[in-house]
Amino acid sequence: MGLHKHSSVSPELAGHSKNVPSMPSTPPSTVPSRTASPMSASKEEKMPDGKTPDDSSKLRMFLSILKRFIGVTDIAAARFSLPAQLMEPIPNLEYWHYLDRPEAFIAIGDSEEPLGRMLACLRFWFTKDLKYVHGKPCKPYNSTLGEFFRCQWEVEDTAPSIVGQAHKVNPEQGRPVKVSYLTEQTSHHPPVSAYFVDCPEKGVSARGYDQLSAKFTGTSVKVTAGNFNQGIFVNLRNRGNEEYQMTHPAAYLGGFLRGNLYVTVSDTCTVSCEKTGIKVILEYLEESYFGKTQNHVQGVVYKCDV
């Protein structure tokens, strides 16, 4: 699989082609990692006193900033600046894409069964969680108003159907399928971006607005979807324009007291399709204080009047 991308503020980048295996039980990210934490500072980076900052000094600096936002309803909409050493050196438009596994995205409409297509949506939905499951929390740079980012994947159509017989438009192995992605920063305060993903050959597209709302609770930062963020809308043109709406759950950035930042999700979200009448309710289980339950989710699939 290859990756070709560029934005209005960075030169064009290109990845090297490689074969993509079928979906493993714990799939590794096929996109170059964007979750390298800014907590590992380069040796050239110096503090005002001439010393190299370490994780503890960065954490103390971060906590001192967060104290100012106790009681603030939305940190994301506030005007403030973080020190450069606390930032991930890429724009948020590049970081917050949902195609770490594009072969899962292009296979959403393959199954001949409506239930199989819904389960394929869930498979794609879970791949977006790879960033904070395998990586460390980070804060990318806010993109400027009007900035855009676009990229293109060339991926083999190898993801199997979960339920029902699969219909592949290109059953021959070795011929890549192209997936195009375009996003633009439409608002700076609050930060809002619009995005569109399309795979014409498979008739699969996705669109939506990205906006995060954050609130400091005293022990963690609660991150929820903003007013403009109604979820991801996936359209299957080859299936009578079936449309799936996937809403985002709330996430929590914790670990301040222990000096080890981590992200947990403990909320409920839904995936629904009005045309097929199938709906899924997902519940992300909260991490046990005494146990080791992490990244667990349970849910139910049922038919209703969506």
Side-chain angles (χ1 to χ4, degrees):
M1 183 180 66
L3 169 66
H4 309 281
K5 58 182 182 178
H6 72 275
S7 72
S8 60
V9 295
S10 60
E12 181 170 298
L13 303 174
H16 300 286
S17 299
K18 63 180 179 180
N19 292 330
V20 177
S22 59
M23 294 289 291
S25 59
T26 306
S29 175
T30 58
V31 176
S33 175
R34 296 177 174 84
T35 56
S37 173
M39 295 300 179
S40 56
S42 62
K43 293 185 178 180
E44 290 80 10
E45 189 178 2
K46 300 293 183 181
M47 297 291 283
D49 57 4
K51 296 182 179 179
T52 301
D54 55 10
D55 289 356
S56 59
S57 64
K58 290 181 178 181
L59 184 61
R60 287 194 298 268
M61 185 186 305
F62 190 46
L63 286 173
S64 65
I65 295 174
L66 285 178
K67 288 179 181 178
R68 297 158 40 196
F69 297 103
I70 297 178
V72 176
T73 57
D74 189 2
I75 299 176
R79 294 177 180 268
F80 71 100
S81 298
L82 283 176
Q85 59 263 33
L86 297 179
M87 305 288 287
E88 180 76 359
I90 60 173
N92 67 288
L93 293 181
E94 180 179 353
Y95 184 85
W96 289 115
H97 71 79
Y98 300 105
L99 292 175
D100 286 321
R101 299 288 298 203
E103 74 273 23
F105 173 74
I106 64 176
I108 291 178
D110 285 351
S111 177
E112 300 290 348
E113 299 289 336
L115 176 60
R117 296 193 290 274
M118 173 59 78
L119 294 179
C121 276
L122 292 178
R123 176 171 58 185
F124 161 69
W125 175 256
F126 292 137
T127 62
K128 73 175 180 56
D129 297 337
L130 294 174
K131 278 187 173 62
Y132 54 82
V133 171
H134 296 297
K136 293 182 179 180
C138 65
K139 172 63 176 71
Y141 280 96
N142 283 343
S143 297
T144 60
L145 183 63
E147 179 181 338
F148 69 91
F149 172 80
R150 61 186 179 186
C151 59
Q152 184 177 90
W153 287 263
E154 292 182 353
V155 56
E156 290 185 7
D157 189 9
T158 56
S161 174
I162 300 177
V163 172
Q165 184 179 359
H167 173 71
K168 299 285 188 180
V169 297
N170 177 32
E172 301 136 9
Q173 296 293 327
R175 181 181 168 190
V177 177
K178 292 183 178 180
V179 184
S180 300
Y181 175 78
L182 174 65
T183 180
E184 180 181 346
Q185 192 78 6
T186 56
S187 173
H188 192 62
H189 285 290
V192 181
S193 59
Y195 62 89
F196 181 75
V197 191
D198 191 27
C199 180
E201 192 171 355
K202 299 296 296 286
V204 184
S205 62
R207 70 188 189 279
Y209 286 98
D210 258 341
Q211 179 193 5
L212 297 179
S213 177
K215 182 177 181 180
F216 184 48
T217 63
T219 57
S220 64
V221 175
K222 181 180 180 181
V223 181
T224 58
N227 295 331
F228 293 96
N229 192 340
Q230 301 299 316
I232 305 175
F233 294 84
V234 175
N235 182 271
L236 305 180
R237 293 190 295 273
N238 297 339
R239 299 295 180 181
N241 285 321
E242 286 181 5
E243 185 166 89
Y244 296 81
Q245 180 182 9
M246 311 175 186
T247 63
H248 296 283
Y252 297 84
L253 176 63
F256 299 112
L257 300 179
R258 292 180 290 180
N260 182 24
L261 298 181
Y262 61 91
V263 176
T264 59
V265 179
S266 56
D267 195 16
T268 301
C269 63
T270 62
V271 182
S272 58
C273 178
E274 183 178 0
K275 187 176 181 65
T276 62
I278 300 179
K279 185 172 183 177
V280 178
I281 298 178
L282 295 175
E283 181 183 3
Y284 287 79
L285 302 182
E286 187 174 2
E287 180 181 353
S288 174
Y289 187 81
F290 296 101
K292 294 184 178 180
T293 301
Q294 284 185 322
N295 305 318
H296 282 204
V297 61
Q298 63 184 13
V300 59
V301 184
Y302 64 98
K303 294 203 70 171
C304 65
D305 183 5
V306 177

